[in-house]
Amino acid sequence: MNEQLKYLNDALKKESGIKYQLQLHKWQTDFFRFYQSQTNYNISKDLIALSAELYKGKKPYSFSIDSPDQAKIDSALKTALEMIDHMPEDPDFVDLEDDLTLAEPKDIPNNINEISLDKKTAILSRLAKIAGEHDFELFGTFICNFESDHLINSNHLDKISMQSPIYLEVKAVHRKTQVTVLETFGGEDFGYFDEEQFSRNLLAKIKFAQNSIVDVEPGEYEVILAPRCVAEFAQYLAYGMSAFAIDRRSSFFEGKLDSKVFPEIFSLTDDPNDPELIHCDYGDGGHIYRPLKLIDKGYFRAFMCNNYFHHKLGLPKNGNQGNCLSIAPGSSTLEKMISKVKKGLYISSLHYMNFINPKETSLTGLTRDGTFLIEDGKITKVVNNLRFTEKIARIFENVVELEDTAKSIPFSGNYADFSVRTTKAPHARIARFNISSSTRTI
Amino acid sequence: MEHKIKQIISKLDSPDISFADVRITFTDYESIFFMNGNLRGYTSSKVSPAIGIRVLIDGCFGFAGSKDLSDASISRLIARAKSNAIHGAKFQKEKLTFPALPATIGEYIHKPEIDPFLMPQEEKLEYFKKLAELIKPQGKIVNSHVAAEFERQEKFYANSEGSYSHTVVYNTLPLMGVVAADAGGIQSRTWPGHMSAGRAGFELFHQQQFMENTQRIIKEATDLLTAPTISEEKADIIIGAGHLALQLHESVGHATEADRIFGQEISFAGKTFVKPSMLGKFKYGSDILNIYSDSTDPKGMGYHPLDDEGVPGKRVDIIKNGILVNQQTSRHIAHKLGLEPSSNMRASFADDIPLVRMSNFCIAPGKGSLQDLIADTEHGYLLDFTKTWSIDDNRNNFQFTTEIGYKIKDGKITGIVKEPTYFGITPEFWNACDAICGEEEWGYQSTFNCGKGEPGQVMRLSHGVAPARFKNINVRVKI
């Protein structure tokens, strides 16, 4: 056990009547940013943080210490013990996590060491050459993280987990038209990265991006959503499957457990064991993270619920947080799906989505990184980026076909400590999708 | 710490390093969260350290940052920053360069009226407990929250040109909100809206009259459950200061960040429709529109004596009489565009890279009060309190929903509407601005949470605004 974690744990064991959870978080990143097919920055960052969540009866108090040492711990603990008696109670608190199940041990290499900066720039140089031949420049990020968490609590929970996410995002932007296309790789095992396939995918998109640019009128369109879009809509939908949303009275799924909410072809699982996804060992509070069927053949089957809300709301608890979402593939191919569209849109990626009303799943957002017109079963033109105003529930109610393979899509968490997670999704054909306005730009 | 940071700069004095800077921050932070009348979370972090070292070698920046300020860590960070620059330079077509600036020394020590870290904890908690009790679930209110974040940040900056600054600032973020529900759905109201932060201590809660507005948000959230939506296709809208700050932020502030022109933020934050050729010519807004970036006003959270790459704070016109005249720049990008740097390079913490960021980004006041403006409006809506916001990759197409709209008929407020939603194209919208309220309505609206950059940073910044009116705006969106 880390010296500082042990020191705080030993000190708290001596305090009677205090329940506690301690977490030692170590995090490193090597974050390569590139633009116009050249380096912008390579950023190396690291941190070690020790956080403590204490309860005296139902009175809570939390603190965190960056780069902890014994003097900082002594000071923070002294303040905490002086303060906690003065805190108001949280009547909904019952106890800390008591699930002591350990995850299967995994060998997690540090991808920061495995994928050097020179290796990254060599890959990008080759991709830049291919894109440059078609008058496109590359923009994006190539990120490797390594993080470990050691969680202990006063219920004898003692768990360590590690992750080393990789996130490669390459945007090819046409030098004159600014038409943009996107290709990504995400996961923990760089062995799954096939540079030749990645180049072929990027090049295929670059070729579509050389078509003429048109605008389309607002209205309902049949659309093919790329895996990235399906994945992102699923992430937003999953908010309503959380106990937190139930507690806030803002869940679409309230009162819908075991009800049919979507067509039979739609199934959604939170699966930490999928080797193509960034894995999760434990959920919030340290509960073991196991596969959980959320939507099974169209039926809503479970809420994601941590220990706190389990006690408050009476829902069954699990470690799931929607970090490893996976939408089951269907039986079609992308080519067949496109061939069935008389007039519609292919949407590559989404931008700046925000709920209007989470209980209704209504939201607005935009397309980006390649929106294309489909005419008579073929992609024919580039379309300006478009705004949609939709209900996610309606989008998935209108799924008519899914691709026979699902792809792991990386997403970065950019509003707090930098993190990467993945969601797996196939292409989807949606019968009706509401475009509310055009951006008139690419 | 001055000695330490200058010592690190001296270690970076070598012929291969053409520019270097070092930042060190110490941050105190406290957050308090009550839900449904009960304390759900109290978190404290004291004197959290951070250091960032940036070097320019062979025309390429390398950066390394950490929370560890030990000598061993600093040696490691110096080596890593150099290595990042040297290896990064191998994948570079254009060497990065900018002119030197004269050495500048700056100091600013901010003192709040009520220091949130020194006031009696019992007094602070008692205030929040009382506030939370007043808005706890009752009638159709099913959920409520009171949130506060307090921050004190001390920062040291030094660069290889001899510039040095030392600042201490306090920032506070207060917010409360309620959710009402019935069989037909849910509606929410917050106070004082999502741009509620300020360069202040605990006194901000008193200034923003939290206790006085609890019953207002309960009533309005409840009334919204049965309120109609806007039925017109287009309408004149007056936008209140809190929400107008966000409109300004998204459709002018981010759009005029010049790093976006060159695609430096393309993978996450996006691009901009603004092009260098538009400077001095492009009619961004109506003739009454004057917008400026001002890092010289200590009342806003964007104040600094020096920015995070050593440019002294300054006030820069961005839009003058409706014409785009300048942009927010870094030293490198200003040099590429043939402009003077605008003092907009900022980082959230020392272990973050500096980015082109808004500081105090403001609309100059016009004339008259909000009451005058309402009285001057024959038919329209007063919109305020942001609910949903979204804008495209190029900052050209936006759509906003506010929590509430107040219907105006013949110069008077006659009722409310729920989920008022409007959308538009940035320059068309700002050219439709026909009135801006005066000094008496002008003030700073500030946020803790402007997200930009990779790795992500959330910036504290302010907008000086007064309510303004926009003519014939699209207000009908099918949901």
Side-chain angles (χ1 to χ4, degrees):
Chain A
M1 187 183 289
N2 168 277
E3 191 185 338
Q4 312 307 338
L5 182 64
K6 183 175 184 312
Y7 181 75
L8 181 55
N9 190 33
D10 289 346
L12 281 165
K13 275 182 187 169
K14 293 174 195 157
E15 298 294 331
S16 63
I18 299 271
K19 290 181 173 177
Y20 60 90
Q21 173 183 294
L22 308 180
Q23 183 170 17
L24 186 81
H25 179 61
K26 294 183 182 178
W27 174 87
Q28 283 177 269
T29 189
D30 242 30
F31 200 114
F32 185 65
R33 295 163 47 118
F34 52 97
Y35 78 117
Q36 296 179 355
S37 302
Q38 63 178 338
T39 301
N40 177 220
Y41 266 103
N42 192 57
I43 298 161
S44 299
K45 282 180 69 168
D46 58 55
L47 72 84
I48 299 175
L50 177 60
S51 59
E53 189 179 334
L54 314 183
Y55 283 93
K56 189 168 187 180
K58 290 178 180 289
K59 295 180 173 185
Y61 185 95
S62 300
F63 63 85
S64 69
I65 306 167
D66 289 333
S67 298
D69 59 32
Q70 289 191 5
K72 288 182 188 174
I73 293 169
D74 286 341
S75 171
L77 186 56
K78 182 170 178 288
T79 305
L81 296 175
E82 284 168 2
M83 284 274 301
I84 199 162
D85 284 324
H86 301 289
M87 304 304 287
E89 290 189 343
D90 175 2
D92 298 319
F93 173 76
V94 175
D95 198 358
L96 292 164
E97 182 58 71
D98 59 0
D99 170 45
L100 306 184
T101 317
L102 294 175
E104 290 282 320
K106 293 180 185 69
D107 181 26
I108 307 291
N110 184 338
N111 282 314
I112 293 175
N113 301 328
E114 301 286 315
I115 310 168
S116 68
L117 181 52
D118 283 343
K119 189 170 180 176
K120 288 177 180 171
T121 55
I123 292 168
L124 290 169
S125 294
R126 289 191 288 272
L127 293 171
K129 187 167 182 295
I130 294 166
E133 286 164 4
H134 298 270
D135 222 11
F136 281 71
E137 299 276 12
L138 299 190
F139 300 71
T141 51
F142 199 159
I143 308 154
C144 298
N145 285 2
F146 184 74
E147 51 195 282
S148 72
D149 287 282
H150 191 165
L151 192 68
I152 58 179
N153 76 16
S154 47
N155 287 342
H156 311 292
L157 185 146
D158 185 345
K159 302 183 179 187
I160 296 174
S161 62
M162 281 181 274
Q163 278 188 342
S164 191
I166 305 160
Y167 185 170
L168 170 60
E169 176 168 306
V170 175
K171 291 193 178 182
V173 181
H174 192 273
R175 288 180 183 130
K176 293 191 185 79
T177 65
Q178 297 290 297
V179 176
T180 304
V181 292
L182 167 69
E183 184 63 18
T184 61
F185 170 82
E188 283 184 286
D189 184 349
F190 204 53
Y192 283 104
F193 178 71
D194 180 341
E195 187 178 331
E196 276 188 30
Q197 186 62 49
F198 192 95
S199 304
R200 277 199 297 276
N201 292 347
L202 187 65
L203 191 55
K205 292 175 182 177
I206 281 173
K207 286 184 176 164
F208 286 130
Q210 290 168 307
N211 289 320
S212 57
I213 304 167
V214 295
D215 221 339
V216 297
E217 290 296 314
E220 287 202 337
Y221 287 84
E222 183 171 7
V223 297
I224 308 286
L225 295 178
R228 185 170 199 86
C229 307
V230 177
E232 198 164 356
F233 281 130
Q235 289 169 9
Y236 274 67
L237 185 72
Y239 165 79
M241 302 174 193
S242 67
F244 176 80
I246 288 286
D247 190 49
R248 297 292 297 260
R249 298 290 304 273
S250 56
S251 167
F252 168 76
F253 293 97
E254 185 176 354
K256 294 188 171 81
L257 199 62
D258 294 324
S259 299
K260 190 152 190 294
V261 285
F262 299 125
E264 194 174 341
I265 57 167
F266 189 77
S267 293
L268 174 67
T269 307
D270 190 19
D271 185 359
N273 297 334
D274 188 318
E276 289 183 51
L277 295 176
I278 295 165
H279 83 286
C280 279
D281 287 331
Y282 306 108
D284 180 33
H287 194 287
I288 186 81
Y289 205 123
R290 289 198 169 114
L292 179 70
K293 274 196 183 300
L294 296 165
I295 307 281
D296 186 20
K297 295 180 180 172
Y299 284 84
F300 174 59
R301 293 300 189 197
F303 285 101
M304 297 179 282
C305 183
N306 69 10
N307 179 66
Y308 181 90
F309 287 115
H310 162 66
H311 286 294
K312 183 174 182 186
L313 304 174
L315 292 166
K317 72 174 171 176
N318 46 58
N320 298 79
Q321 295 175 281
N323 292 340
C324 308
L325 295 176
S326 180
I327 294 128
S331 56
S332 190
T333 65
L334 176 59
E335 290 69 27
K336 279 185 194 167
M337 288 159 73
I338 291 174
S339 74
K340 290 176 186 168
V341 178
K342 176 84 176 152
K343 186 178 182 190
L345 301 166
Y346 178 94
I347 299 174
S348 301
S349 182
L350 308 174
H351 179 62
Y352 220 134
M353 285 205 294
N354 237 331
F355 275 122
I356 296 169
N357 189 321
K359 190 168 180 69
E360 296 170 2
T361 72
S362 59
L363 51 62
T364 188
L366 301 119
T367 68
R368 82 193 298 201
D369 305 329
T371 308
F372 300 98
L373 187 65
I374 305 172
E375 294 173 300
D376 297 324
K378 288 191 177 113
I379 288 178
T380 55
K381 295 184 178 72
V382 177
V383 180
N384 281 330
N385 290 333
L386 303 169
R387 172 172 297 286
F388 53 87
T389 305
E390 258 294 0
K391 290 178 177 167
I392 308 174
R394 199 180 88 108
I395 295 169
F396 288 124
E397 281 163 14
N398 282 313
V399 174
V400 286
E401 223 176 0
L402 293 167
E403 190 185 9
D404 58 4
T405 56
K407 187 180 177 191
S408 170
I409 308 294
F411 293 89
S412 56
N414 265 311
Y415 268 78
D417 286 344
F418 180 80
S419 61
V420 180
R421 65 174 169 163
T422 40
T423 296
K424 208 167 171 184
H427 277 92
R429 184 159 69 90
I430 311 293
R432 284 175 291 281
F433 187 82
N434 184 38
I435 299 298
S436 49
S437 59
S438 168
T439 71
R440 305 183 204 165
T441 59
I442 285 294
Chain B
M1 204 46 64
E2 180 177 353
H3 175 68
K4 183 165 189 158
I5 198 167
K6 288 182 175 173
Q7 209 173 34
I8 300 168
I9 282 291
S10 70
K11 287 181 185 169
L12 299 168
D13 183 12
S14 77
D16 58 330
I17 298 177
S18 51
F19 177 85
D21 57 14
V22 180
R23 283 168 293 119
I24 294 173
T25 51
F26 297 99
T27 308
D28 291 339
Y29 175 80
E30 184 180 61
S31 80
I32 298 166
F33 187 72
F34 278 80
M35 182 179 273
N36 296 342
N38 302 314
L39 180 66
R40 276 292 307 278
Y42 174 94
T43 301
S44 152
S45 169
K46 292 280 170 64
V47 202
S48 171
I51 179 168
I53 297 174
R54 193 171 68 140
V55 296
L56 184 62
I57 298 175
D58 197 16
C60 185
F61 268 127
F63 179 85
S66 177
K67 304 285 187 199
D68 183 352
L69 268 55
S70 67
D71 290 345
S73 168
I74 289 166
S75 297
R76 181 175 54 83
L77 294 173
I78 289 172
R80 191 73 194 192
K82 284 181 177 177
S83 168
N84 282 341
I86 291 163
H87 289 270
K90 293 178 188 172
F91 183 58
Q92 200 155 35
K93 297 181 287 189
E94 175 201 353
K95 303 295 178 197
L96 190 150
T97 180
F98 47 81
L101 285 174
T104 307
I105 309 298
E107 178 154 48
Y108 176 67
I109 310 295
H110 169 231
K111 288 190 176 134
E113 288 172 29
I114 305 172
D115 188 326
F117 298 100
L118 296 179
M119 70 185 288
Q121 284 297 97
E122 292 86 344
E123 185 187 321
K124 189 174 9 177
L125 288 166
E126 196 52 42
Y127 176 89
F128 292 125
K129 201 173 158 186
K130 189 175 168 191
L131 197 55
E133 187 70 22
L134 284 170
I135 60 168
K136 75 179 185 183
Q138 53 194 280
K140 293 196 170 172
I141 302 300
V142 295
N143 193 281
S144 68
H145 68 271
V146 174
E149 293 181 55
F150 301 107
E151 179 186 77
R152 175 187 183 275
Q153 189 176 74
E154 181 170 26
K155 178 158 73 178
F156 299 86
Y157 173 85
N159 71 21
S160 53
E161 295 168 336
S163 290
Y164 169 79
S165 74
H166 171 223
T167 57
V168 177
V169 295
Y170 286 76
N171 300 315
T172 291
L173 173 68
L175 191 67
M176 66 177 175
V178 295
V179 177
D182 66 7
I186 61 169
Q187 292 296 326
S188 58
R189 279 290 286 113
T190 57
W191 183 264
H194 285 85
M195 285 273 179
S196 60
R199 167 101 347 131
F202 187 82
E203 68 274 13
L204 198 58
F205 278 90
H206 300 312
Q207 289 166 5
Q208 295 183 336
Q209 300 185 310
F210 272 71
M211 291 293 181
E212 294 85 342
N213 281 284
T214 53
Q215 291 311 304
R216 174 181 169 175
I217 60 171
I218 288 169
K219 181 176 186 321
E220 288 187 342
T222 306
D223 290 349
L224 282 168
L225 291 170
T226 52
T229 54
I230 291 180
S231 54
E232 298 93 325
E233 290 289 328
K234 293 194 172 192
D236 297 346
I237 58 173
I238 297 172
I239 302 183
H243 180 65
L244 185 60
L246 186 66
Q247 175 75 56
L248 170 72
H249 178 97
E250 301 289 4
S251 64
V252 188
H254 281 310
T256 55
E257 293 166 344
D259 53 347
R260 290 168 175 266
I261 291 175
F262 298 98
Q264 290 180 348
E265 292 296 327
I266 209 171
S267 74
F268 173 60
K271 302 174 276 191
T272 174
F273 72 92
V274 172
K275 305 283 177 276
S277 59
M278 291 177 174
L279 287 188
K281 298 176 211 160
F282 184 68
K283 190 84 166 58
Y284 208 111
S286 61
D287 293 349
I288 62 168
L289 190 68
N290 290 288
I291 293 176
Y292 57 92
S293 167
D294 183 6
S295 48
T296 67
D297 184 356
K299 290 197 281 297
M301 293 204 299
Y303 170 78
H304 49 238
L306 293 179
D307 78 355
D308 284 339
E309 58 178 18
V311 178
K314 59 174 77 168
R315 176 172 162 152
V316 176
D317 287 330
I318 302 294
I319 293 172
K320 189 84 180 159
N321 301 328
I323 303 292
L324 179 72
V325 293
N326 209 330
Q327 292 180 73
Q328 302 162 87
T329 54
S330 66
R331 292 174 68 169
H332 165 229
I333 289 170
H335 180 56
K336 275 176 81 94
L337 293 171
L339 302 169
E340 289 293 313
S342 64
S343 194
N344 283 95
M345 284 294 271
R346 306 175 69 202
S348 299
F349 300 94
D351 57 345
D352 294 318
I353 58 165
L355 300 166
V356 176
R357 288 300 221 156
M358 286 169 254
S359 54
N360 298 320
F361 195 81
C362 310
I363 303 177
K367 283 182 186 163
S369 68
L370 177 58
Q371 281 311 314
D372 295 339
L373 190 55
I374 292 169
D376 183 53
T377 303
E378 193 179 324
H379 181 85
Y381 295 89
L382 167 63
L383 308 184
D384 208 352
F385 307 105
T386 309
K387 187 172 188 183
T388 297
W389 60 100
S390 173
I391 191 162
D392 79 288
D393 203 14
N394 284 294
R395 302 277 149 178
N396 202 42
N397 173 310
F398 58 81
Q399 181 170 308
F400 294 102
T401 302
T402 59
E403 291 171 357
I404 189 165
Y406 303 90
K407 188 167 185 172
I408 302 168
K409 197 168 178 192
D410 298 328
K412 290 193 174 71
I413 288 174
T414 58
I416 61 169
V417 289
K418 69 178 175 185
E419 291 174 352
T421 299
Y422 69 97
F423 69 96
I425 296 292
T426 294
E428 291 173 7
F429 179 80
W430 287 103
N431 273 286
C433 178
D434 79 331
I436 300 168
C437 289
E439 290 276 4
E440 64 269 47
E441 303 283 354
W442 195 94
Y444 279 115
Q445 310 284 327
S446 309
T447 180
F448 264 32
N449 293 311
C450 173
K452 186 180 173 183
E454 292 182 300
Q457 298 181 37
V458 282
M459 179 55 68
R460 284 71 165 122
L461 55 89
S462 295
H463 297 290
V465 286
R469 185 172 61 195
F470 299 82
K471 303 287 279 184
N472 205 29
I473 302 302
N474 290 297
V475 288
R476 184 95 180 119
V477 179
K478 182 190 159 201
I479 302 173

